[in-house]
């Protein structure tokens, strides 16, 4: 079998996980790398790391016949606003969201995108169901305990916002579940969908064979790739 090289591979993660209070690579909005076209019809909206905050994952947007296909929606409201601004600038609706996995830096913008585009499908793994009653539920308890134990108002605000993101988790459940690899038409465009257990019990990645772009989620990270 002949193997053709992939023209572009996009690692969607900034970091898979980062504890509170760790300084990041970018400290201010003006220092966040701008959105850029990485192939015809494919745009990268970079996430960011800021001192004292959890990371924002990157977003990859594919243009499709029925609208935009948005892979991952970041953690913070400012990131989801960048996605919505991009859609407005392009004059195209968001037709579908694809979540590479359920970590909060990849799904927290889903609710805002779906509020703006109620008919948008959500493609993703059902592994989020276990996370909502397992890891995320436990994380929520830890956050509430930490809030009760501190008088630092700045830190309390950050932790309360994180609790609110967890509470929005059910709105990130897929409307079109991905349970295995295969070919899939999303918003009228053909993708090859990958599926494995790596950073979570259900990681998804997209390969656009027409544009030869692979969006890999957290499966390609530095310094050690999961893929």
């Amino acid at each position: 079998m002949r193997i053709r090289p992939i023209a572009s591979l996009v690692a969607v993660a900034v970091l898979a996980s980062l504890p509170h209070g760790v300084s990041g690579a970018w400290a201010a909005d003006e220092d966040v790398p701008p959105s850029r076209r990485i192939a015809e019809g494919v745009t990268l909206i970079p996430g960011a790391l800021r001192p004292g905050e959890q990371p924002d994952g990157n977003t990859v947007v594919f243009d499709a016949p029925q609208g935009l296909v948005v892979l991952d929606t970041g953690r913070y409201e400012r990131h989801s606003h960048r996605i919505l601004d991009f859609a407005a600038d392009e004059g195209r609706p968001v037709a579908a969201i694809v979540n590479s996995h359920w970590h909060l830096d990849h799904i927290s913008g889903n609710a805002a995108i779906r509020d703006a585009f109620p008919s948008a499908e959500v493609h993703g793994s059902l592994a989020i169901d276990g996370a909502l009653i397992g890891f995320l539920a436990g994380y929520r308890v830890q956050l509430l305990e930490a809030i009760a134990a501190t008088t630092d108002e700045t830190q309390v605000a950050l932790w309360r916002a994180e609790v609110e993101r967890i509470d929005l988790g059910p709105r990130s459940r897929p409307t079109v579940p991905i349970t295995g690899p295969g070919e899939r038409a999303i918003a009228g465009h053909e993708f090859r969908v990958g599926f494995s257990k790596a950073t979570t019990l259900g990681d998804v990645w997209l390969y656009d064979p027409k544009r030869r772009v692979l969006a890999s989620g957290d499966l390609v990270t530095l310094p050690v790739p999961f893929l």
Side-chain angles (χ1 to χ4, degrees), residues 69-109:
V69 177
V70 174
L71 180 73
D72 291 341
T73 59
R75 173 184 249 109
Y76 295 103
E77 186 178 6
R78 56 185 173 246
H79 188 87
S80 56
H81 282 176
R82 292 178 70 192
I83 298 171
L84 293 172
D85 287 346
F86 176 80
D89 290 343
E90 293 291 302
R92 314 254 9 240
V94 174
I97 297 166
V98 180
N99 289 129
S100 63
H101 59 295
W102 57 258
H103 288 171
L104 293 179
D105 54 325
H106 296 263
I107 68 168
S108 295

Side-chain angles (χ1 to χ4, degrees), residues 120-175:
E121 298 177 339
V122 179
H123 298 250
S125 165
L126 293 172
I128 189 173
D129 290 342
L132 289 171
I133 61 175
F135 179 88
L136 290 174
Y139 181 31
R140 189 181 191 279
V141 170
Q142 292 176 349
L143 288 167
L144 293 176
E145 290 174 347
I147 289 169
T150 185
T151 57
D152 184 333
E153 293 184 2
T154 299
Q155 189 64 74
V156 166
L158 290 172
W159 284 337
R160 287 197 184 282
E162 193 82 335
V163 170
E164 291 173 2
R165 292 181 197 103
I166 294 171
D167 292 343
L168 286 173
R171 297 198 60 196
S172 292
R173 293 189 70 255
T175 61

Side-chain angles (χ1 to χ4, degrees), residues 25-34 46-51 82:
W26 303 296
D29 285 346
E30 59 267 22
D31 297 324
V32 177
L49 282 171
R50 294 174 178 82
R82 292 178 70 192

Side-chain angles (χ1 to χ4, degrees), residues 113-227:
I113 304 302
R114 296 181 74 184
D115 284 343
F117 299 99
S119 62
E121 298 177 339
V122 179
H123 298 250
S125 165
L126 293 172
I128 189 173
D129 290 342
L132 289 171
I133 61 175
F135 179 88
L136 290 174
Y139 181 31
R140 189 181 191 279
V141 170
Q142 292 176 349
L143 288 167
L144 293 176
E145 290 174 347
I147 289 169
T150 185
T151 57
D152 184 333
E153 293 184 2
T154 299
Q155 189 64 74
V156 166
L158 290 172
W159 284 337
R160 287 197 184 282
E162 193 82 335
V163 170
E164 291 173 2
R165 292 181 197 103
I166 294 171
D167 292 343
L168 286 173
R171 297 198 60 196
S172 292
R173 293 189 70 255
T175 61
V176 186
I178 296 173
T179 57
E183 309 287 332
R184 179 176 293 226
I186 304 176
H189 188 78
E190 294 295 328
F191 292 92
R192 295 178 192 167
V193 177
F195 183 87
S196 70
K197 297 178 181 179
T199 60
T200 71
L201 291 178
D203 287 70
V204 171
W205 67 94
L206 284 186
Y207 177 57
D208 183 337
K210 180 179 178 181
R211 291 139 173 164
R212 299 176 62 205
V213 172
L214 171 66
S216 65
D218 277 1
L219 295 174
V220 177
T221 59
L222 295 175
V224 180
F226 288 100
L227 186 63

